[in-house]
Amino acid sequence: MSNIKLIIEERPSNIGNFMVGRLLPFREKRMVGPFAFIDHMGPTCMSNYENLDVPPHPHIGLSTLTYLFEGSIMHKDSLGTEMEIKPGQINWMTAGKGIVHSERTPEYLRNSDKMLHGLQIWVALPKELEEIEASFFHVPENEIPEWQLGDVAFKLIAGEVLGKKSPVPVYSPLYLLELKSRSRQTVTIGDYLFGESGLYILEGSIESEGNIFEPKQLLVAKDSKLCSFEMAENTTIYIFGGEAFPEERIIYWNFVASTKELIEKAKDKWLAQTFDKVPGENEFVPLPEQNKHYRL
């Protein structure tokens, strides 16, 4: 019997002036553990007149994780943070009761050809913490735990698993692992995983139970404890998951919450433009049309 519960294909989605591959949420699987949203950005080659420009927009009830493979993004937020993220580094922004941020191509790259490739992830906060104060945390590449098992290189981007702990300050039991193989390797780590678990293939392929899976596929496991597969040479995958929350989460635009009341409060606040401002920014992303549905 197969341990794969669901196969999710990347779907194209426009986030303003930039196309991404959306993995979560999916109609048949809104969340995997506390992970509520995953976008694969690129790889996109932008010419000297093309830039990433996502004007200030708000979030509540979640932490965002940005992890780049190529390129650079300048993050600015309403706490006064101004941080450039480069490949291999982690930006972890916790919205809590509310934060506003912008994401743009850094000024020194705006008139040159450039690449952009990475992951953007939303992790929902536990109900008792969804209205905490906002915060921002940056992790340099050399502080991310990494180790080697055979010909597979591991990195623990966030969470705690396999006897390792990432410095990213997460708020619930979870894990986000990067695995890179140089040669064909069998990986058996199910005894160390917990909760719900997903596996995303960035490049290369994996074989599980006689089936071959390729890039831009997200596999959701029936039982994380049975996680065993074979990685082809030069394959990169991400294994993520953790304990699911007892309550459902509602997603509306950039807001994640356990109740519609918190969503409505945030909508009214953004319409009134009473969120804190991002220093040096004058633009903002308007609230979507009022008939936009909640996603449960």
Side-chain angles (χ1 to χ4, degrees):
M1 181 180 293
S2 173
N3 186 41
I4 297 172
K5 180 179 181 180
L6 186 64
I7 302 170
I8 301 173
E9 304 278 351
E10 273 189 32
R11 294 98 59 207
S13 182
N14 194 323
I15 59 167
N17 66 336
F18 195 78
M19 292 298 294
V20 298
R22 175 111 346 129
L23 292 156
L24 286 178
F26 184 64
R27 62 182 180 275
E28 295 174 40
K29 187 64 178 171
R30 295 298 181 190
M31 295 174 63
V32 175
F35 290 80
F37 181 101
I38 301 177
D39 271 354
H40 175 208
M41 304 183 294
T44 298
C45 180
M46 294 183 285
S47 63
N48 58 5
Y49 59 87
E50 294 176 307
N51 292 292
L52 175 70
D53 281 304
V54 182
H57 56 283
H59 290 284
I60 65 165
L62 54 80
S63 296
T64 65
L65 187 153
T66 303
Y67 184 69
L68 296 183
F69 314 132
E70 294 180 90
S72 177
I73 296 175
M74 181 61 72
H75 162 98
K76 295 182 181 180
D77 64 40
S78 51
L79 298 173
T81 309
E82 187 169 332
M83 177 63 71
E84 181 182 2
I85 182 172
K86 296 181 178 182
Q89 302 175 346
I90 300 167
N91 273 4
W92 176 261
M93 182 185 76
T94 297
K97 65 182 182 181
I99 196 168
V100 181
H101 75 131
S102 64
E103 297 162 291
R104 301 184 186 274
T105 299
E107 199 62 40
Y108 72 93
L109 293 174
R110 295 185 73 85
N111 296 313
S112 60
D113 295 345
K114 77 282 288 179
M115 290 289 295
L116 188 59
H117 190 200
L119 294 174
Q120 287 208 312
I121 295 169
W122 295 358
V123 180
L125 291 169
K127 184 177 175 64
E128 67 274 14
L129 297 175
E130 62 184 343
E131 292 190 273
I132 60 174
E133 294 294 328
S135 61
F136 179 85
F137 196 81
H138 176 83
V139 182
E141 185 176 12
N142 62 2
E143 293 182 15
I144 300 171
E146 52 183 309
W147 65 100
Q148 195 88 16
L149 287 177
D151 252 3
V152 179
F154 286 73
K155 278 188 182 180
L156 180 57
I157 296 168
E160 189 170 359
V161 74
L162 296 169
K164 311 286 186 180
K165 185 175 182 180
S166 166
V168 173
V170 302
Y171 295 92
S172 66
L174 62 86
Y175 46 88
L176 172 57
L177 282 161
E178 176 188 85
L179 281 69
K180 288 179 174 283
S181 65
R182 289 200 301 263
S183 63
R184 184 170 290 274
Q185 295 281 305
T186 298
V187 177
T188 304
I189 58 173
D191 287 345
Y192 300 94
L193 303 182
F194 55 88
E196 298 182 331
S197 189
L199 186 157
Y200 170 64
I201 305 163
L202 177 70
E203 58 186 356
S205 65
I206 70 164
E207 184 172 344
S208 176
E209 299 158 328
N211 299 304
I212 295 176
F213 302 96
E214 298 184 328
K216 299 188 176 182
Q217 291 186 317
L218 168 59
L219 314 179
V220 181
K222 289 179 183 175
D223 183 353
S224 62
K225 298 294 184 188
L226 300 177
C227 188
S228 180
F229 52 89
E230 190 171 81
M231 297 178 68
E233 63 179 350
N234 300 320
T235 291
T236 302
I237 64 171
Y238 293 85
I239 298 175
F240 65 95
E243 300 294 348
F245 298 133
E247 325 86 8
E248 286 187 330
R249 287 298 180 274
I250 300 162
I251 301 176
Y252 172 90
W253 191 39
N254 301 314
F255 304 141
V256 174
S258 60
T259 67
K260 288 185 178 180
E261 288 73 23
L262 285 173
I263 299 280
E264 289 299 326
K265 180 181 172 183
K267 287 167 63 176
D268 291 343
K269 191 174 177 181
W270 188 244
L271 281 169
Q273 283 294 292
T274 54
F275 274 88
D276 290 342
K277 308 296 184 187
V278 177
E281 291 273 16
N282 298 313
E283 299 177 272
F284 67 92
V285 180
L287 190 76
E289 301 79 10
Q290 291 298 295
N291 63 359
K292 188 176 179 74
H293 297 298
Y294 290 109
R295 297 201 298 268
L296 297 176

